[in-house]
């Protein structure tokens, strides 16, 4: 899912970077110093989750879990996932440097959208209903992420459109897997620690 | 950080891949700015000989820095694995002079050139990034970014992430071992996916509880809401030499791209 350096056109890279900077700034505004430890530890959790390989068909995929990240982190998903992508690029060589902004946007924007669309459902009274909303969020986030990647590629040039389409269809099974995983994770968290979906809410109302 | 990918290596032992021979004394800020400059220049070049030269510079830097070539190049190849199918498609989707035909699809020369260009750029930039920045201690990266005016909350977030990736990865391995002890074997089944979901959910729950203990411990030690960033960095003559060499490389790439000396 990572886009690499050199694939996108300059306007797409600059536009993506500006939007990502805006998202990160918004996310940081909702993170007072008190909340940095919880955001940092959750960011590390999602980093570790992205190294988990889950079998699917004859192969295996690594998790993205950005839907779940959005449900737990809200706007803070922008800085938290950016940090993860930065560390991956610098220390593992995944992704790229000039495309860091675009990659952050591709992963974090769907997380924030899922936060707004599905969080109320995840907070529903019954854990089973919450799990269904978790599945919707998990699957939707991957669909939106592949959509963002496809848009970034298509805006960069006609010739990428078939590749973008292929990326989308190749990710349909991954959407299903991430939906199941998110549902199970939400179900467990709702039973064990329902406060998880609100740990980053600033006391005083805003979430 | 590299240990997370290859078990058996010691965690957070100073620099990532062990290479500090030449770069060790260079200011981390200079290395970050250098990597960004190199990336921007390389991405804006489009002539293949120039890009081959850029990749050669990156490989040269890797050798000079004393990085283990096999492991570093293996990581680079992992990235290539991600993009290979996009690159393979390009010759068939870009219109132009036909080069060869495969199963009735025409591959164009222009598309081939574009695929090679992207491959060269991506590899040169990521290799330079791993050599210049990836060899730093992750904590140093945080402090250097702070000195480069990156907002403090973002730096703290980075430092917390760096600190706890290792801890949580160990926790993940422990949970996996517990699953294995109960006879869990990953396969293609709903049971597998649900179990992985519970695993992730459990990790999130434990992460939040851990963070509560961390905050408690910080408050107990007089945490007032600001964390001091201890780093004393100053530019030295070594950094001047580094800047000169890197500036020279960037300038020569730009010059070769705009004139047509090579080829």
């Amino acid at each position: 899912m990572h886009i690499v350096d050199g694939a996108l056109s300059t306007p797409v890279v600059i536009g993506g970077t500006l939007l990502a900077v805006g998202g990160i700034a918004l996310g940081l505004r909702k993170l007072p110093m008190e909340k940095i430890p919880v955001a940092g530890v959750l960011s590390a959790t999602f980093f570790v989750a992205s190294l988990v390989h889950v079998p699917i068909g004859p192969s295996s995929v690594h998790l993205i879990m950005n839907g779940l990240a959005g449900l737990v982190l809200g706007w803070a998903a922008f800085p938290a996932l950016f940090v993860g992508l930065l560390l991956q690029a610098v220390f593992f060589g995944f992704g790229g440097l000039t495309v860091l902004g675009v990659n952050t946007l591709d992963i974090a924007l769907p997380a924030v959208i899922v936060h707004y669309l599905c969080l109320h459902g995840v907070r529903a009274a019954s854990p089973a209903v919450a799990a269904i909303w978790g599945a919707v969020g998990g699957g939707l986030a991957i669909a939106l992420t592949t959509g963002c990647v496809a848009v970034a590629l298509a805006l960069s040039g006609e010739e990428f459109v078939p590749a973008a389409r292929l990326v989308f269809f190749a990710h349909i099974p991954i959407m299903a897997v991430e939906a199941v995983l998110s549902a199970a994770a939400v179900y467990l968290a709702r039973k064990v620690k329902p406060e998880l979906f609100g740990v980053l809410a600033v006391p005083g109302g805003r979430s | 950080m590299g240990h997370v990918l290859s078990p058996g290596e010691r965690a957070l032992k100073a620099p990532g891949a062990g290479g500090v021979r030449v770069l060790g004394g260079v200011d981390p800020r200079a290395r970050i700015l250098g990597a960004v400059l190199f990336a921007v220049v390389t991405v804006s070049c489009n002539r293949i000989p120039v890009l081959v030269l850029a990749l050669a510079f990156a490989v040269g830097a890797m050798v000079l820095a004393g990085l283990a070539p096999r492991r570093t190049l293996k990581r680079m190849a992992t990235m290539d694995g991600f993009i290979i199918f996009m690159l393979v498609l390009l010759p068939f989707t870009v219109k132009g002079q036909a080069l060869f035909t495969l199963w009735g699809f025409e591959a164009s020369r222009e598309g081939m050139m574009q695929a090679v260009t992207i491959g060269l750029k991506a590899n040169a930039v990521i290799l330079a990034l791993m050599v210049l920045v990836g060899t730093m201690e992750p904590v140093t990266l945080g402090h250097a970014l702070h000195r480069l005016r990156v907002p403090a909350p973002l730096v703290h977030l980075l430092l917390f992430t760096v600190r706890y990736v290792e801890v949580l990865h160990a926790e993940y391995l422990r949970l996996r071992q517990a699953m294995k002890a109960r006879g869990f074997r990953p396969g293609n089944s709903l049971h597998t996916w649900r179990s992985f979901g519970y695993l992730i959910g459990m990790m999130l729950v434990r992460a939040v509880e851990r963070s509560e203990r961390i905050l408690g411990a910080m408050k107990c030690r007089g945490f007032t809401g600001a964390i001091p960033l201890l780093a004393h960095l100053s530019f030295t003559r070594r950094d001047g030499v580094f800047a000169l060499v890197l500036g020279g490389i960037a300038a020569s790439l730009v010059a070769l791209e705009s004139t047509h000396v090579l080829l």
Side-chain angles (χ1 to χ4, degrees):
Chain A
M1 196 76 83
H2 296 280
I3 297 180
V4 295
D5 287 305
L8 301 177
S9 69
T10 314
V12 173
V13 168
I14 293 174
T17 304
L18 288 178
L19 287 173
V21 168
I24 292 169
L26 256 170
L28 289 178
R29 272 182 49 194
K30 306 209 170 193
L31 267 188
M33 229 8 143
E34 282 279 289
K35 295 287 178 193
I36 294 279
V38 65
V41 177
L42 286 171
S43 164
T45 311
F46 285 108
F47 187 98
V48 172
S50 76
L51 300 173
V52 176
H53 281 257
V54 173
I56 175 169
S59 151
S60 73
V61 292
H62 79 92
L63 298 176
I64 302 177
M65 284 286 141
N66 54 336
L68 203 55
L71 291 172
V72 177
L73 291 164
W75 276 97
F78 259 97
L81 297 174
F82 165 76
V83 163
L85 288 170
L86 176 70
L87 293 174
Q88 283 196 352
V90 169
F91 294 104
F92 297 166
F94 295 164
L97 185 56
T98 59
V99 285
L100 212 46
V102 177
N103 280 334
T104 304
L105 193 68
D106 287 346
I107 303 276
L109 187 64
V112 172
I113 293 173
V114 165
H115 173 80
Y116 281 110
L117 291 182
C118 303
L119 186 61
H120 68 93
V122 166
R123 282 176 173 162
S126 127
V129 174
I132 292 170
W133 279 99
V136 171
L140 180 66
I142 303 300
L144 289 170
T145 295
T146 47
C148 288
V149 171
V151 167
L153 286 173
L155 284 175
S156 293
E158 274 301 296
E159 66 273 16
F160 290 115
V161 173
R165 205 169 291 153
L166 201 64
V167 166
F168 187 82
F169 287 116
H171 277 82
I172 288 177
I174 299 176
M175 286 170 213
V177 169
E178 292 246 350
V180 174
L181 257 83
S182 300
V186 165
Y187 186 75
L188 181 129
R190 275 298 310 271
K191 291 239 158 170
V192 180
K193 197 173 176 72
E195 314 91 274
L196 180 67
F197 303 102
V199 278
L200 281 172
V202 181
R206 280 188 313 168
S207 67
Chain B
M1 292 286 297
H3 64 285
V4 180
L5 280 191
S6 36
E9 280 170 52
R10 273 285 309 286
L12 283 181
K13 58 154 185 160
V20 278
R21 220 160 55 201
V22 174
L23 288 167
V26 177
D27 191 295
R29 289 170 293 175
R31 284 155 69 175
I32 294 170
L33 292 177
V36 172
L37 174 73
F38 183 81
V40 170
V41 168
T42 305
V43 168
S44 10
C45 290
N46 279 313
R47 297 181 51 223
I48 286 176
V50 180
L51 291 172
V52 170
L53 194 65
L55 185 58
F57 277 131
V59 172
M62 177 186 78
V63 173
L64 264 177
L67 254 75
R70 261 189 75 183
R71 202 165 75 225
T72 313
L73 293 177
K74 217 176 111 192
R75 290 220 177 121
M76 203 168 87
T78 315
M79 178 203 69
D80 290 331
F82 286 137
I83 56 168
I84 193 78
F85 88 114
M86 187 185 88
L87 297 186
V88 168
L89 271 179
L90 270 177
F92 301 99
T93 54
V94 177
K95 287 186 178 54
Q97 188 191 339
L99 205 60
F100 61 89
T101 318
L102 190 67
W103 301 311
F105 293 103
E106 247 178 29
S108 71
R109 205 182 118 78
E110 285 78 359
M112 201 68 130
M113 300 291 264
Q114 198 178 346
V116 171
T117 308
I118 294 174
L120 285 171
K121 282 182 188 180
N123 283 302
V125 172
I126 209 73
L127 187 55
L129 182 67
M130 282 196 287
V131 170
L132 290 175
V133 187
T135 48
M136 273 178 219
E137 213 175 320
V139 175
T140 312
L141 171 65
H143 288 292
L145 285 174
H146 179 62
R147 299 291 296 269
L148 288 170
R149 304 280 160 91
V150 171
L154 191 58
V155 173
H156 291 310
L157 198 58
L158 178 90
L159 293 175
F160 264 101
T161 308
V162 163
R163 169 69 183 85
Y164 286 99
V165 157
E166 211 187 320
V167 175
L168 293 171
H169 190 249
E171 181 152 295
Y172 162 72
L173 294 177
R174 260 198 314 278
L175 285 167
R176 277 303 292 269
Q177 196 161 28
M179 289 165 81
K180 203 174 169 187
R182 285 161 181 75
F184 173 74
R185 227 196 268 151
N188 269 304
S189 63
L190 197 62
H191 172 72
T192 297
W193 298 332
R194 200 171 45 211
S195 304
F196 271 110
Y198 287 152
L199 171 65
I200 301 289
M202 199 61 225
M203 285 188 63
L204 286 173
V205 168
R206 290 191 177 182
V208 168
E209 286 176 348
R210 187 185 293 276
S211 82
E212 285 161 4
R213 295 196 297 275
I214 295 166
L215 188 63
M218 285 163 68
K219 281 184 169 166
C220 159
R221 285 161 182 77
F223 171 65
T224 53
I227 309 169
L229 289 169
L230 311 166
H232 302 286
L233 302 173
S234 57
F235 282 107
T236 58
R237 216 172 59 209
R238 201 184 256 268
D239 303 314
V241 174
F242 173 79
L244 221 62
V245 171
L246 215 120
I249 289 173
S252 64
L253 289 176
V254 171
L256 287 171
E257 173 76 14
S258 42
T259 60
H260 287 245
V261 184
L262 235 68
L263 280 181

